[in-house]
Amino acid sequence: LVLFALLMLKHFIADFVLQMPYMLEQKGEYGAKGGIDHALLHSWGTLLVLVPALGLTNLVACFMLALVDGITHYHIDWAKVNFARGFTPADRQFWVWIGADQLMHQLTYIIIIGIIVA
């Protein structure tokens, strides 16, 4: 639970505190710098959570799981932006896609933790 809480804190910081406007604007363009930079921000954050938790002897595993998080995060965000295109916060469907996006990110963290404890 502590690891999940730390990953959720990382998610909040990367998605809501450190995300820059250009990242938001470019997440829907596949391969654009903004989406890649945002995903890398998540990868680095996950690495910062996992290394102290797993130790330096598991550095390769930490890097691999952080990479998985970044790649997964990139594609979840890209899909959300494209599926929600044209909707505004006044539309119910906008919030459905935001909720689905957050659920997918949370499930990614649960899978990462499952890999660690397996």
Side-chain angles (χ1 to χ4, degrees), residues 10-97:
K10 178 277 304 184
H11 184 85
F12 167 74
I13 292 168
D15 253 17
F16 299 100
V17 177
L18 298 178
Q19 187 166 203
M20 299 290 114
Y22 82 98
M23 295 174 181
L24 282 168
E25 293 166 5
Q26 296 177 9
K27 286 197 296 189
E29 297 173 50
Y30 201 84
K33 181 177 176 12
I36 292 170
D37 288 352
H38 179 67
L40 287 171
L41 188 61
H42 277 277
S43 287
W44 283 112
T46 297
L47 190 64
L48 289 174
V49 168
L50 294 183
V51 169
L54 300 181
L56 292 175
T57 58
N58 294 306
L59 200 55
V60 172
C62 292
F63 270 100
M64 294 302 291
L65 291 170
L67 182 62
V68 165
D69 183 34
I71 291 169
T72 304
H73 195 97
Y74 179 87
H75 289 92
I76 291 169
D77 280 4
W78 178 84
K80 177 211 41 194
V81 168
N82 284 285
F83 286 129
R85 194 174 305 279
F87 295 112
T88 70
D91 299 310
R92 180 180 177 278
Q93 198 62 29
F94 173 87
W95 294 106
V96 170
W97 288 117

